[in-house]
């Protein structure tokens, strides 16, 4: 029965979204290690059997939550960059938005603190590469090709810049001074400006 199949599919999707929503909330509030599967299924209003239909473990659920968080940050970066016409300004605006987006406590905890600890550095890096790092590499490659950034291998530059932004985000996560975000954005602007050797329209800083 097509209608019955459609109803079941909608229910499965609703269950999965409830698990992702409550998993994200609990992982963000108390951290991966302090959350039990029982708490997650109770909060989502489903059974453990329903959870295991979608995710074979708490780690698998966390991995899906992390992927959603990375996609969310990537979308925010892309949207911010898209407000600029010039490729250089797109890079700077996107990088600044990444720093700002990752100051959200839930994103910090899931993406930067628990992500590498739960999944291991290798898998976390692979997921990061598949999301924001890939777009950063593409943006840098275009600027090198246009002569805005000096000719050089793009991969090491992308990893250095990505690592610097991730480290800054982790530092901000432990900061108690609101001025640190402004100072970090300003420092990032100066760091990026140092890469530019050719004309690239306006400059975005702060």
């Amino acid at each position: 029965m097509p209608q019955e199949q459609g109803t079941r599919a909608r229910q499965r999707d609703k269950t999965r979204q409830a698990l992702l929503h409550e998993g994200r909330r609990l992982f963000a509030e108390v951290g991966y290690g302090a959350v039990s599967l029982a708490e997650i299924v109770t909060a989502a209003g489903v059974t453990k059997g329903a959870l295991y239909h979608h995710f074979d473990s708490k780690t698998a659920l966390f991995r899906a939550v992390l992927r959603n968080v990375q996609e969310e940050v990537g979308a925010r970066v892309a949207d911010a960059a898209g407000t600029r016409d010039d490729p250089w300004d797109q890079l700077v605006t996107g990088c600044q938005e990444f720093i700002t987006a990752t100051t959200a406590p839930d994103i910090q905890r899931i993406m930067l603190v628990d992500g590498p600890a739960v999944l291991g550095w290798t898998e976390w890096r692979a997921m990061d590469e598949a999301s924001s790092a890939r777009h950063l590499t593409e943006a840098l490659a275009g600027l090198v090709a246009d002569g805005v950034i000096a000719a050089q291998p793009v991969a090491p530059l992308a990893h250095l810049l990505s690592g610097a932004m991730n480290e800054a985000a982790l530092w901000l996560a432990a900061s108690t001074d609101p001025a640190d975000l402004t100072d970090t954005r300003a420092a990032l602007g100066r760091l990026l400006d140092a890469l530019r050797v050719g004309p690239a329209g306006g400059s975005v800083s702060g």
Side-chain angles (χ1 to χ4, degrees):
M1 297 277 185
Q3 185 174 0
E4 185 178 341
Q5 290 174 346
T7 300
R8 283 200 297 264
R10 286 191 294 273
Q11 184 57 46
R12 284 194 299 270
D13 183 64
K14 182 179 178 181
T15 297
R16 188 176 192 277
Q17 293 307 316
L19 288 166
L20 288 170
H21 176 78
E22 293 302 330
R24 174 171 177 166
R25 181 180 65 82
L26 289 167
F27 291 145
E29 286 180 1
V30 299
Y32 176 88
V35 178
S36 69
L37 283 178
E39 289 175 290
I40 294 171
V41 297
T42 298
V46 303
T47 65
K48 275 194 177 181
L51 181 145
Y52 284 123
H53 178 76
H54 294 277
F55 307 102
D56 61 16
S57 64
K58 185 173 77 166
T59 301
L61 173 61
F62 178 81
R63 184 181 291 110
V65 169
L66 172 59
R67 186 175 292 110
N68 283 354
V69 169
Q70 289 179 321
E71 289 172 353
E72 178 184 310
V73 171
R76 284 186 56 173
V77 169
D79 287 346
T83 65
R84 313 293 296 190
D85 294 325
D86 181 81
W88 173 260
D89 288 343
Q90 289 174 356
L91 171 72
V92 176
T93 302
C95 289
Q96 296 285 11
E97 180 59 29
F98 175 85
I99 291 294
T100 301
T102 52
T103 59
D106 62 330
I107 291 175
Q108 288 174 343
R109 165 90 74 164
I110 293 169
M111 192 171 91
L112 300 173
V113 178
D114 280 351
V118 173
L119 301 180
W121 182 252
T122 300
E123 182 176 357
W124 183 87
R125 282 297 301 157
M127 292 178 69
D128 186 56
E129 286 276 358
S131 55
S132 58
R134 175 171 58 84
H135 297 299
L136 176 61
T137 299
E138 292 171 354
L140 291 171
L143 290 167
V144 169
D146 291 342
V148 178
I149 293 176
Q152 60 188 289
V154 171
L157 178 60
H159 280 86
L160 283 167
L161 186 54
S162 177
M165 290 191 293
N166 282 332
E167 177 60 29
L170 282 169
W171 177 69
L172 286 171
S175 168
T176 57
D177 187 347
D180 285 340
L181 174 58
T182 301
D183 291 343
T184 299
R185 285 173 56 93
L188 176 60
R190 290 189 293 270
L191 178 66
L192 292 170
D193 279 342
L195 297 175
R196 186 171 53 174
V197 296
S203 178
V204 181
S205 60

